[in-house]
């Protein structure tokens, strides 16, 4: 009986990892949202968010998890953002230090601005956990559009992220 139970657990884990690793989320080009949120980290995330903002896919952009030492002018110069776009449409969030605090910072910003839809931008391997964390923090009526930046993660990255995702889901089921 115990062997069967452990075998089932192992199969669920293995099939879950295969699903997680082979079916990474993709980008979403054509859907407009009230806001865009970029979670800092891997390359290409901020560039993707700015490109969508410039193409009028949204009105505002939050970059969550920006280092406190980064000044608005430095950010604008690094990403070639005009002063007009920077002042009207871009918020640099400085409170987040991890995925969970990204979700808290984002949820507060969405509530404060009364947005009904948000496009979340992060790397493909990180998207499921980021989307899960955000969905736990915001009102269920807010529509989340996941927009993953494609990457080529190593097996180690996928393995680590799968376990983080699985543990957060289990913690969520336990109410933690």
């Amino acid at each position: 009986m115990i062997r069967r139970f452990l075998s089932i657990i192992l199969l669920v884990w293995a099939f879950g990892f295969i699903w997680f690793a082979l079916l990474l989320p993709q980008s979403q080009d054509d859907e407009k949202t009230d806001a865009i949120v970029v979670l800092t980290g891997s390359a290409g995330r901020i560039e993707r968010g700015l490109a969508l903002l410039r193409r009028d896919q949204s009105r505002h952009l939050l970059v969550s998890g920006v280092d406190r030492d980064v000044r608005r002018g430095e950010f604008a110069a690094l990403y070639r953002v005009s002063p007009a776009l920077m002042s009207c449409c871009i918020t640099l969030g400085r409170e987040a230090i991890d995925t969970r605090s990204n979700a808290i910072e984002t949820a507060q910003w969405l509530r404060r601005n009364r947005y009904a839809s948000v496009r979340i931008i992060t790397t493909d391997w990180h998207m499921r956990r980021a989307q899960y964390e955000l969905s736990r923090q915001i009102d269920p009526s807010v529509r989340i559009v996941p927009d993953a930046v494609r990457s080529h993660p190593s097996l180690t990255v996928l393995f680590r992220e799968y376990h983080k995702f699985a543990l957060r889901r289990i913690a969520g089921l336990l109410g933690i």
Side-chain angles (χ1 to χ4, degrees):
M1 181 75 165
I2 291 175
R3 281 189 205 169
R4 285 184 185 160
F5 177 73
L6 292 176
S7 295
I8 290 171
I9 296 295
L10 183 61
L11 281 173
V12 168
W13 173 87
F15 283 121
F17 180 70
I18 290 168
W19 162 80
F20 185 87
L22 295 180
L23 300 174
L24 292 174
Q26 303 295 309
S27 62
Q28 302 286 328
D29 281 333
D30 58 349
E31 194 167 347
K32 288 191 175 195
T33 57
D34 293 336
I36 298 171
V37 174
V38 174
L39 307 184
T40 57
S42 299
R45 296 178 187 188
I46 294 172
E47 293 86 347
R48 171 97 178 128
L50 290 169
L52 289 165
L53 186 65
R54 288 175 176 133
R55 287 193 347 235
D56 294 324
Q57 292 295 306
S58 185
R59 298 177 296 189
H60 294 99
L61 176 118
L62 167 67
V63 182
S64 178
V66 175
D67 189 283
R68 292 181 187 275
D69 293 334
V70 175
R71 302 290 168 239
R72 290 180 63 80
E74 294 169 338
F75 181 91
L78 180 62
Y79 293 103
R80 294 183 177 97
V81 178
S82 71
L85 186 63
M86 196 71 196
S87 66
C88 80
C89 308
I90 298 173
T91 301
L92 301 181
R94 300 173 187 280
E95 300 303 315
I97 57 170
D98 60 13
T99 304
R100 198 170 189 185
S101 58
N102 281 135
I104 292 167
E105 180 176 61
T106 298
Q108 292 169 348
W109 184 74
L110 292 171
R111 269 192 298 279
R112 197 169 41 249
N113 292 290
R114 298 185 180 151
Y115 294 131
S117 62
V118 61
R119 177 187 302 259
I120 182 170
I121 298 175
T122 189
T123 311
D124 49 8
W125 52 265
H126 184 242
M127 180 57 74
R128 288 188 180 101
R129 186 163 56 100
Q131 187 177 356
Y132 175 72
E133 291 289 0
L134 183 57
S135 70
R136 290 179 46 90
Q137 297 294 327
I138 64 173
D139 187 277
S141 66
V142 177
R143 182 173 52 92
I144 300 173
V145 175
D147 193 338
V149 174
R150 187 175 176 148
S151 70
H152 301 286
S154 67
L155 188 59
T156 304
V157 167
L158 290 171
F159 194 75
R160 188 177 327 125
E161 185 62 24
Y162 174 66
H163 287 98
K164 287 180 181 181
F165 175 67
L167 288 173
R168 281 304 300 142
R169 293 301 296 244
I170 291 167
L173 290 172
L174 297 173
I176 300 172

